[in-house]
Amino acid sequence: MFAVRGRIVPLSADREVSKGELDAFAGTVWLGDDGMVTAITHGTHGTHGTHGHAAAPPGFEKAPVVDVGSSLVFPGLIDLHNHLAYNTLPLWTEETRDKAKPFLHHNSWPGAQSYAASVTWPAYAFITASPQELLAYAETRAIVGGTTTIQGSPPKNRPRDGWVVRNAEDETWGTHDTNLIQASTLTLNPEGLLKKAARMRQGSAFIYHCSEGQVGTVVAQEFHDAKKADCLQERFIAVHCNAIDPKDFAGWRRHGAVVWSPFSNLWLYSSTTNVPAAMEAGQTVCLGSDWGPSGTRSVLGELKVARLVSDENQWGLSDSDLVRMVTTNPGDVLARPWKRQVGRLQPGAVGDLLVIRAGPRVDPFRALLSARERDVELVVIGGRAQYGKPALMARAGRNGTATTSLSVDGEARAMVLTRPDDPGATWEWDDVVARMEVVRGHPMREIEKGRTRQEAAMASVYLARSRNGGRPVPQPPLRLALDMPTGLTPLGGLPKNLDEITVPALAGLSHDGEFLDSIVGRGYHGGVLDDLARFYR
Amino acid sequence: MAQSRESAIAQKGVRLSEALKGEGLTPELGPQDRLRVVDTLVPLIEGVYCHLPQKRAGYAADPVQALRLLRQRCVEMTDGEFHLAVTGIITGLRDAHTRYVGPSGLRGKVALLPFLVESYGPQDAPRFIVSKLAGTANTPAMKKLGFAQGVELVSWNYVPMARAVDVYAFQETGGRRDARRARALETLTFRSLDYGPPPDELKVTIGFRVGRSLREVTMPWRVVDITAARLGKNPQSALRAAWNPSAESVRKARTLMFAPETWDANRLKTSTGRSSRAKVVHGRSSPGNGVRGSARDTATGKPAAVAIGQDLETSFLEVLSARRVSATFHEGLRARRAEVGYLRVWSFDVHDHEAFVTEVDRLLKLLPQDRLIVDLRGNPGGLIWAAERLLQLFTDREIQPTRFSLLATPVTRAMAESEFNHLELDDWLNSLTDAVSTGEVYSKPVALTDPSWCRDIGRTYPGTAALVVDPNTYSSGDLFAAGWADHDIGPLISIGEATGAGGANVWGDLQLNDALASTPYAFDPLPGGVQFTMAIRRAIRSGVSDGIPIEDLGIRGIPYAPTRRDLLEGNKDLYNFCAQTLHDTS
């Protein structure tokens, strides 16, 4: 247990915590050993109620308090649309395509000539040769941007041990029910949709890529197919919906959620989801940063893109509206299947929080919206400090031996990262990167080795299961699958010779100069996204 | 190169009686385990086995119903009876791709007698001879008895030879009578214990004829270690196999017994980790690999400076051999002698198809450029790409690779829908989905070899070529023969009625388990180390025979019956026949 003291922006629905949902105040968030928020108290001094301020809750009298001064304490950010397997890749576009012809819909760009070689094959190299490192890298990128829960971890044969950020689809809250959240990137047929609708009626949420493309294109039908299959329920989380007629949002009467990924939409289609129409119809709008080839590096960047797009379209969304899209909105949506509150700081909620560097009198929502990766001072997940400035991590009980060091935009950060083969040992960040660089340097050799190693391990587990008569057998190796279309590939999805696979340099963890430079003059955003740089330069 | 000590030791192995002492390690299956075996196999055969409709039609056999019946009585059976019953049902499919492997402590071993039996003459009156004798049988006692290469065999454990072979053939998988006999002869003295039970008897008494006298010799079965055949260093190849793994193990054992210097060279290559690709890049074979001959001349492009009949060096010595041979053919009434190129492809079991195709191309350039015999007899298959890509070297035509279908069932549909199988099965998914409403029995057929890969080199051999096959030319060997015939590349000469007729892509139980893991049809590994292989994707011919299956039919050619001279004097009559056919058809 420990506590974080600073300027609290709890976004709480509990009026005993704050009178207004958007209030900010000096106070302390008390995190219990159960990983939940035990209490939130007002005041800035002492742990024993000196100076007339609230005392520590019972049992917390000796708990360490991490005082972050005037810095802001938000609920952890939630990224409700991602594809982690692709998050080492740089922004992609088909350079030979007519600059005036954005892609029509999600079935258009996988047919581009350079797609498979630029996206599928390098991602395949990592999922095959270094699956653990790939996920560690992608999750680190998320936490560097303040994310505490992320959707879109690749399909895998078992949850990854020692995760950095909470993976929405893998989280079972101890129930072992892996169906709490289901997801599909690919379009489902009516039978598949009917099954998902039935699961939702039983309590699951379903995150579904739906009608992604320009308005009026054929993929708009996907929304209607979902409706026909009775998927338009409270636990239906529709990603994109930018191809549908805005009026159709009103037909979704049992209000669910729409996930908005403005960067990706503009990059590929030159247009994006009609957010005001969705909100007007009562749908909950959340943000998602999508993936490396057409997305931002985390929702911290996507917030800024949302600001730019709202301003460009004169939608009038406030900073707090946008912040809620990565906190309370997805938190409330996830609480439906999880029966646990995330995205808000209040007693009984999950202890996920984020500390953003800020001066004493700044507008908290403007501060978060403007924050850069180096402004992320501390991230707590499940009541445990997971990432942050070394000094804050140490005060939160994570001393140097329990963490690995990394540098983010020139600032030192410490992170809890444990070895997949030994959960008790720290996994050095440099080792993660070094291994990925080996794969990058020799993709063919490493794919072959990775595949051979994986097959041998799978065979060994299989044989053990065959011969052990039900006794415990070794855990199978982590195996990942790609969740996006493979594109125009030879049959089997890979080139004839694996030495044709080249893997680009690892995309950075933050919205760095390389990323910002790669936006200008590329994609189909008409220059709107060029302005993202002004938040960073 | 002299035989090494290692291969001499490996050849000796141990007596079967000794090996079976360790058989106590074979786990017995309890009643629940037996039920599990049946309950696992039934839905897989019904839902995945791609030849099920054809086998039901062709053999009036219903393995699903047979297994259901077995389920009712398997609890009261002995373990041995149970495995025999399952093996019988699966073998009844007459499909070497689809095998049931009961529990065994003898995996990775081959039981053998130190000689090879081959037959010549017509199918109805075959004669059997010892066509090869291993060095281990070349003992003074054997010499005294007169048991040598070329002796005619008349009985096997006192059963007349033809009858003994035909009885044994019923335990084998061939669909046609000639195929069953060919496969029986292939395994009569070499039994892969990976894919079948050990021989029933510990010793065999063989009756043979020397001159006019009949003699007997009794030999014990011996067991040697042979690494179980497996494909798949290349991640793409693991699911792209079309082969008979049992025959591949046997082929390796035969290499050990009859060509120990080749076995030694391979062992050396494997242990030193030298890659075949590296050698090919340099345009010549490694001088240290102990291969016969000394051909080289890629620099000058002149014919290889090796004697007729002498093998060219190759870095793929386990799967390729090439030489110039002399053959006679008739032009009108005049007999003419000619040099003919001879390329033997023993197997398509290669890891690196690129290096393999490059090596074949290199060898072809060293052979006479006007006439060629490509010999695929006994080729048990291997990597589909390796076989199909090779075809382009012999023709100007655009090669259409063989296409493969999945049985359209809820199981295969779920398998194709699984995200873990997208890379492998995406191309089949839509037609499997459509089959729900169209009622199609199979998915759309899709090539496993990308068509562009069959056209990326083009023709490099300018002359005419004849292909020789037999009923042991199987699987990828079938595919190669089908491509040869369907693209009219040259005459196809067939010993027996046709090729072995293995028309499918085969997966092991581990691969199938993996592919179904995230579907509602996931299954647990079978208990006690029981394994199986299964034909998953059914091969359909292309070109002029578009749509015709290969399974059970095989590829027919110009019939040829081998002679005694072929078996004992290096295929002399076969070469002449091929040369004549090439002359007549050119």
Side-chain angles (χ1 to χ4, degrees):
Chain A
M1 64 175 63
F2 75 107
V4 179
R5 173 167 300 151
R7 195 169 166 214
I8 313 295
V9 192
L11 294 165
S12 172
D14 183 344
R15 294 288 76 90
E16 291 190 9
V17 172
S18 59
K19 291 197 176 88
E21 197 174 30
L22 302 181
D23 287 356
F25 53 85
T28 307
V29 181
W30 304 90
L31 299 157
D33 286 338
D34 59 357
M36 312 300 271
V37 176
T38 302
I40 294 178
T41 56
H42 291 245
T44 57
H45 302 283
T47 57
H48 300 286
T50 54
H51 307 286
H53 296 283
F60 280 82
E61 293 81 4
K62 294 183 180 173
V65 176
V66 181
D67 194 334
V68 298
S70 60
S71 291
L72 298 161
V73 182
F74 280 94
L77 307 187
I78 300 167
D79 186 342
L80 220 41
H81 170 212
N82 208 299
H83 305 276
L84 273 73
Y86 302 85
N87 280 354
T88 65
L89 304 177
L91 287 171
W92 166 81
T93 189
E94 180 65 47
E95 302 290 356
T96 58
R97 189 180 166 90
D98 187 339
K99 300 286 181 201
K101 286 189 177 172
F103 293 108
L104 287 177
H105 48 70
H106 63 80
N107 289 330
S108 308
W109 41 265
Q113 280 301 325
S114 66
Y115 173 80
S118 303
V119 176
T120 304
W121 297 346
Y124 178 83
F126 285 127
I127 66 161
T128 308
S130 55
Q132 299 277 10
E133 287 84 356
L134 171 65
L135 290 186
Y137 192 91
E139 290 181 15
T140 298
R141 182 160 113 171
I143 204 167
V144 162
T147 306
T148 52
T149 295
I150 196 162
Q151 183 276 335
S153 195
K156 40 185 146 6
N157 59 340
R158 61 174 176 80
R160 187 172 88 81
D161 301 320
W163 47 261
V164 178
V165 298
R166 176 173 291 110
N167 286 234
E169 295 97 324
D170 290 341
E171 183 60 84
T172 69
W173 302 106
T175 64
H176 303 295
D177 181 357
T178 53
N179 287 316
L180 290 180
I181 294 183
Q182 304 196 320
S184 180
T185 299
L186 304 179
T187 306
L188 296 185
N189 59 25
E191 183 190 1
L193 288 170
L194 282 169
K195 284 182 186 166
K196 299 297 182 190
R199 290 290 323 180
M200 284 190 281
R201 281 192 290 275
Q202 291 164 8
S204 297
F206 176 38
I207 302 176
Y208 183 49
H209 277 59
C210 186
S211 298
E212 177 190 359
Q214 294 185 39
V215 174
T217 55
V218 290
V219 297
Q221 184 60 34
E222 293 164 13
F223 185 82
H224 300 291
D225 291 342
K227 185 176 182 181
K228 280 184 204 156
D230 193 31
C231 279
L232 301 190
Q233 307 177 24
E234 298 88 341
R235 294 185 186 84
F236 186 52
I237 302 168
V239 178
H240 293 305
C241 290
N242 49 334
I244 69 171
D245 184 326
K247 290 197 292 288
D248 289 335
F249 281 119
W252 187 350
R253 296 208 172 81
R254 287 173 287 166
H255 299 149
V258 173
V259 186
W260 180 32
S261 295
F263 188 105
S264 183
N265 292 161
L266 291 180
W267 186 261
L268 295 170
Y269 311 117
S270 187
S271 58
T272 190
T273 312
N274 193 321
V275 171
M279 292 170 69
E280 177 72 21
Q283 315 307 338
T284 302
V285 176
C286 312
L287 276 177
S289 63
D290 210 340
W291 62 334
S294 71
T296 48
R297 297 218 157 140
S298 67
V299 280
L300 200 58
E302 201 70 21
L303 270 173
K304 298 164 183 57
V305 177
R307 177 74 282 153
L308 293 174
V309 173
S310 173
D311 292 347
E312 175 78 11
N313 293 305
Q314 299 181 333
W315 285 344
L317 297 171
S318 67
D319 290 343
S320 61
D321 287 337
L322 299 177
V323 167
R324 289 168 60 119
M325 291 181 186
V326 291
T327 52
T328 58
N329 290 4
D332 293 351
V333 168
L334 290 173
R336 293 168 192 164
W338 280 352
K339 315 292 186 206
R340 282 167 179 78
Q341 183 69 54
V342 287
R344 296 179 186 271
L345 294 176
Q346 57 197 31
V350 177
D352 294 355
L353 64 77
L354 160 71
V355 176
I356 291 288
R357 175 164 35 211
R361 278 177 288 279
V362 297
D363 174 83
F365 300 103
R366 171 50 51 137
L368 176 56
L369 205 137
S370 307
R372 293 159 293 185
E373 282 76 9
R374 63 171 176 263
D375 297 321
V376 174
E377 294 189 318
L378 183 68
V379 179
V380 176
I381 303 179
R384 288 171 179 78
Q386 187 73 26
Y387 165 88
K389 293 166 76 172
L392 296 182
M393 289 291 283
R395 263 182 271 161
R398 303 288 204 174
N399 61 31
T401 58
T403 60
T404 183
S405 304
L406 64 160
S407 173
V408 176
D409 294 338
E411 289 208 12
R413 289 290 182 270
M415 179 171 66
V416 176
L417 186 65
T418 56
R419 294 194 61 83
D421 52 349
D422 181 3
T426 296
W427 195 7
E428 295 300 335
W429 173 250
D430 288 347
D431 292 345
V432 172
V433 175
R435 171 67 193 144
M436 297 185 78
E437 288 296 347
V438 168
V439 175
R440 224 173 64 69
H442 306 279
M444 182 174 92
R445 183 190 75 192
E446 295 302 318
I447 287 172
E448 287 181 344
K449 278 168 64 178
R451 183 71 183 230
T452 304
R453 197 167 45 236
Q454 196 173 62
E455 282 180 359
M458 296 291 278
S460 156
V461 171
Y462 182 84
L463 202 60
R465 286 175 64 202
S466 168
R467 293 196 167 146
N468 274 18
R471 288 189 293 278
V473 294
Q475 183 169 239
L478 181 70
R479 187 176 163 218
L480 306 180
L482 295 176
D483 56 337
M484 293 296 270
T486 50
L488 291 179
T489 58
L491 294 159
L494 296 173
K496 181 175 65 178
N497 296 310
L498 295 178
D499 55 11
E500 292 173 34
I501 295 178
T502 56
V503 182
L506 297 177
L509 298 175
S510 63
H511 294 81
D512 51 21
E514 192 181 340
F515 175 79
L516 297 169
D517 290 343
S518 72
I519 296 171
V520 180
R522 300 173 72 225
Y524 295 99
H525 53 92
V528 173
L529 299 176
D530 293 355
D531 280 348
L532 184 59
R534 76 177 157 82
F535 289 92
Y536 293 94
R537 287 175 171 154
Chain B
M1 177 183 167
Q3 181 183 355
S4 75
R5 191 168 164 270
E6 284 79 4
S7 61
I9 293 170
Q11 279 183 328
K12 277 182 121 177
V14 296
R15 285 190 177 214
L16 178 61
S17 53
E18 286 295 311
L20 287 175
K21 283 179 187 167
E23 259 281 87
L25 27 118
T26 305
E28 289 243 331
L29 298 188
Q32 287 302 324
D33 287 340
R34 288 181 213 156
L35 289 173
R36 217 174 102 199
V37 168
V38 175
D39 291 344
T40 301
L41 289 176
V42 166
L44 292 178
I45 290 177
E46 202 165 28
V48 182
Y49 178 50
C50 68
H51 297 313
L52 185 61
Q54 187 176 342
K55 300 296 182 181
R56 278 175 167 158
Y59 299 112
D62 189 340
V64 174
Q65 178 63 10
L67 284 167
R68 285 186 182 133
L69 289 172
L70 176 64
R71 191 182 194 283
Q72 292 190 321
R73 53 196 169 85
C74 69
V75 172
E76 61 216 36
M77 289 174 141
T78 66
D79 217 43
E81 285 172 338
F82 173 74
H83 294 305
L84 202 60
V86 181
T87 303
I89 291 167
I90 302 298
T91 304
L93 298 171
R94 302 285 167 214
D95 175 5
H97 286 137
T98 303
R99 310 291 283 254
Y100 170 80
V101 189
S104 172
L106 297 175
R107 296 272 160 77
K109 296 180 191 298
V110 171
L112 57 83
L113 297 171
F115 60 93
L116 193 64
V117 182
E118 291 187 80
S119 71
Y120 66 92
Q123 172 83 9
D124 291 335
R127 301 183 73 171
F128 300 91
I129 61 169
V130 170
S131 61
K132 284 192 171 63
L133 192 65
T136 53
N138 195 10
T139 62
M142 287 290 194
K143 280 183 183 158
K144 194 174 171 190
L145 264 174
F147 190 81
Q149 185 182 20
V151 297
E152 184 177 355
L153 303 180
V154 294
S155 66
W156 179 276
N157 282 337
Y158 305 105
V159 178
M161 200 62 200
R163 174 72 182 155
V165 170
D166 285 347
V167 167
Y168 173 61
F170 269 97
Q171 296 175 31
E172 268 297 345
T173 53
R176 302 183 315 266
R177 185 170 160 237
D178 65 311
R180 270 200 299 280
R181 179 180 291 168
R183 223 154 288 160
L185 281 180
E186 184 182 53
T187 60
L188 189 67
T189 53
F190 284 78
R191 315 266 175 99
S192 166
L193 303 183
D194 270 315
Y195 294 93
D200 293 328
E201 67 285 323
L202 298 177
K203 296 177 183 177
V204 178
T205 300
I206 293 140
F208 61 99
R209 195 192 308 273
V210 178
R212 291 189 173 181
S213 70
L214 292 177
R215 300 181 186 176
E216 274 182 21
V217 62
T218 298
M219 295 187 206
W221 284 99
R222 298 191 77 85
V223 173
V224 299
D225 288 321
I226 296 292
T227 310
R230 75 179 276 275
L231 281 171
K233 180 188 165 197
N234 185 321
Q236 294 152 285
S237 62
L239 298 174
R240 304 300 177 86
W243 66 332
N244 178 350
S246 168
E248 180 62 21
S249 292
V250 164
R251 196 184 66 77
K252 286 181 170 158
R254 281 157 60 160
T255 303
L256 169 66
M257 299 307 289
F258 304 126
E261 68 284 1
T262 301
W263 189 88
D264 282 331
N266 266 320
R267 189 182 55 82
L268 196 67
K269 196 172 84 174
T270 308
S271 63
T272 55
R274 282 181 286 159
S275 87
S276 49
R277 172 173 283 196
K279 286 171 195 161
V280 174
V281 167
H282 290 94
R284 63 175 59 175
S285 304
S286 158
N289 61 8
V291 186
R292 305 163 296 273
S294 58
R296 61 177 58 12
D297 72 351
T298 45
T300 65
K302 290 178 182 172
V306 293
I308 285 186
Q310 194 173 7
D311 281 348
L312 302 175
E313 283 188 0
T314 173
S315 49
F316 279 80
L317 70 170
E318 205 188 1
V319 295
L320 292 174
S321 54
R323 55 184 173 268
R324 290 180 297 145
V325 298
S326 178
T328 304
F329 63 92
H330 288 85
E331 204 168 42
L333 294 175
R334 275 184 55 206
R336 288 190 51 187
R337 283 194 81 68
E339 273 190 22
V340 181
Y342 177 81
L343 174 71
R344 184 83 188 238
V345 186
W346 296 98
S347 167
F348 291 111
D349 177 20
V350 294
H351 293 311
D352 187 340
H353 61 102
E354 197 71 48
F356 172 73
V357 174
T358 305
E359 176 63 354
V360 171
D361 183 39
R362 187 189 72 85
L363 291 171
L364 289 175
K365 289 189 169 81
L366 300 176
L367 295 171
Q369 297 295 292
D370 51 350
R371 294 181 191 85
L372 178 73
I373 301 166
V374 180
D375 191 347
L376 249 65
R377 285 176 299 159
N379 185 318
L383 180 59
I384 292 169
W385 298 335
E388 296 202 298
R389 289 192 63 214
L390 217 52
L391 289 165
Q392 62 184 312
L393 304 182
F394 305 98
T395 181
D396 295 319
R397 292 172 198 259
E398 209 166 66
I399 298 296
Q400 303 287 341
T402 312
R403 291 164 302 145
F404 292 79
S405 299
L406 285 159
L407 198 62
T409 68
V411 185
T412 54
R413 209 161 46 246
M415 188 163 77
E417 282 170 353
S418 163
E419 284 158 314
F420 287 95
N421 302 325
H422 272 169
L423 283 176
E424 186 61 36
L425 297 177
D426 236 8
D427 293 298
W428 284 266
L429 178 57
N430 285 343
S431 62
L432 286 170
T433 307
D434 290 344
V436 176
S437 53
T438 61
E440 289 290 325
V441 176
Y442 286 100
S443 72
K444 175 181 82 172
V446 179
L448 288 177
T449 308
D450 194 287
S452 68
W453 302 359
C454 296
R455 300 161 195 164
D456 57 349
I457 301 170
R459 181 172 191 166
T460 61
Y461 186 76
T464 58
L467 177 67
V468 183
V469 297
D470 71 2
N472 287 324
T473 304
Y474 197 73
S475 212
S476 286
D478 278 304
L479 303 186
F480 185 91
W484 190 277
D486 297 340
H487 296 86
D488 201 18
I489 292 174
L492 191 152
I493 294 158
S494 172
I495 290 157
E497 289 176 26
T499 56
N505 163 224
V506 60
W507 292 2
D509 53 336
L510 171 63
Q511 289 155 333
L512 193 53
N513 178 274
D514 204 29
L516 289 172
S518 57
T519 74
Y521 303 96
F523 64 92
D524 286 331
L526 295 181
V530 171
Q531 296 175 3
F532 63 88
T533 60
M534 192 172 282
I536 301 293
R537 291 183 274 209
R538 177 188 194 231
I540 297 294
R541 290 172 71 172
S542 298
V544 294
S545 304
D546 195 16
I548 296 175
I550 291 173
E551 183 71 14
D552 288 334
L553 300 176
I555 318 301
R556 291 176 185 272
I558 302 165
Y560 175 78
T563 65
R564 182 180 169 86
R565 216 161 76 106
D566 283 327
L567 300 184
L568 299 176
E569 295 177 41
N571 299 308
K572 276 189 177 169
D573 289 335
L574 173 64
Y575 294 160
N576 292 342
F577 183 82
C578 290
Q580 187 69 52
T581 308
L582 282 171
H583 174 74
D584 293 346
T585 54
S586 62

